[in-house]
Amino acid sequence: MAPPNQSTHPVPIDIQAEDVKRYFQLSGGKLIVNGTVLLSEVPNNVSLSSFSSICHSSAAPPSLFERVLSTSHRGAFIGFSKEAPFDRLINSLGSFTDRNFVSIFRFKTWWSTMWVGSSGSDIQMETQWVLLDVPELRSYALILPLIEGKFRSALHPGDDGHVMICAESGSTQVSTSSFNAIAYVHISDNPYNLMKEAYSAARVHLNSFRLLEEKTVPALVDKFGWCTWDAFYLTVDPVGVWHGVKDFVEGGITPRFLIIDDGWQSINLDGENPHEDAKNLVLGGTQMTARLYRFEECEKFRRYKAGTLLGPNAPSFDPKRPKMLIAKAIELEQAEKARDKEIQAGVGDLSEINSKIEVLKQELTEMIGDENSASGPTPTGGGCGSCSCKASDYGFKAFTQDLRTKFKGLDDVYVWQALCGAWGGVRPGATHLYSKVIPVKVSPGLDGTMTDLAVVKIVEGGIGLVHPDQATDFYDSMHSYLSKVGIAGVKVDVIHVSSLSPLFDTNFLLINTTEL
């Protein structure tokens, strides 16, 4: 989120130019730092600009702004230009070999990890920054890809030691032919100071994020909490959650907060009854093409009746049951993958594998059982038909109240949500909002990263996006309800959808967020 508006501060340009020239020069196809060649074979269309020539003012706090100015002579912006505008532009920044580096790259769409090498060709796709060792100067140099306008950038490997920069808007309707500050380069004799100085400069320039030093650390970081995902996956229900917290308390460790993860929402699949929850969801993956069809909790939580778990006849919990369901679901998933391989291999007779899959599906259905039965894992009592029953006697509100009544050390209850509602967004026609399923594709850069089921499924089913004009209404509809029923906050997931490129209707990209 962008920082709040603050007064801007002018840059004293007169003290910058000479200092920058002492540190950086772009001459004869070489990027030179204090007389040492950092990059060779730099194309003629690459430009180098001082900090002051690009960043004329900033909304950063005055003390931070002045600190950045004091070290800005050790940094410079890199740009490049092309003959024709395009929505995705790739250009070499130059080449290097026999120079050790450490870097961070996106090995999956939303996860990053470290990589080392000694050549521009060793850099991985979607590199977020590269830290070069410059022993000739007993220093280190950082190349940091930036956002410029509506384009984001990343470093990619090139041939013969070249390091490439890829800038893309994610939309064929947004194009350009030149950049002035698509990357930032900075040098320091201390790698820790280097990272701090470079990111401070980027913060002052972009004004799109805050540094850790500007933020107030939330009290949550000092609390022990529990997230239900690894224990239950999509089989999470009130009884399981209750006994999970209870086990912690009885073990002498009281959770201060609880996250009810994926599995609580009202979702279903295209083609299914638009007013009923999807059935038999167990593993992450089966729900990724499902869409939100109502903002309230799903039936297994909606049926929870106040006091059900507080009384002497509270439903029992079998800790083996989630594991058995997960094991059976994995067996089914493996059988389906085996069928897919046979199809790809051109096997004509699939009757045997299809028969096995149907048997496994039936076994899973029987294991899950009728959730309305008294012997099931979920408390019953949803809708007694009496006029004396209140809505507050059931569902999340009743459940969160009972949790806080029983477990006094539990401060907050949070729930999971996807950025666009559910994994597959919001189902068109199911809510009062106007949503539309938008086909998506992975950008060539991200397509070069490690394959992941979540991305594959989103591409397969598209995203049900709410129109941006209703973004505030969308989040208010979800969060106002959750707030009323005792949920203190949300864990926002599936944010990688903002990295996927719509094939059309870019106006449907949802990028706004609101707090509870």
Side-chain angles (χ1 to χ4, degrees), residues 360-400:
L360 291 172
K361 285 183 177 179
Q362 182 60 34
E363 290 175 349
L364 181 61
T365 298
E366 292 173 356
M367 289 176 65
I368 292 176
D370 183 1
E371 292 184 341
N372 290 312
S373 68
S375 61
T378 308
T380 60
C384 63
S386 170
C387 62
S388 63
C389 287
K390 300 178 181 178
S392 60
D393 292 337
Y394 294 91
F396 260 167
K397 187 166 187 178
F399 184 52
T400 56

Side-chain angles (χ1 to χ4, degrees), residues 226 240-250 255 258 403 407 410:
W226 175 51
V241 173
W242 184 277
H243 281 271
V245 177
K246 180 173 176 287
D247 286 348
F248 276 112
V249 172
E250 291 179 348
L258 165 69
L403 280 170
F407 307 108
L410 186 63

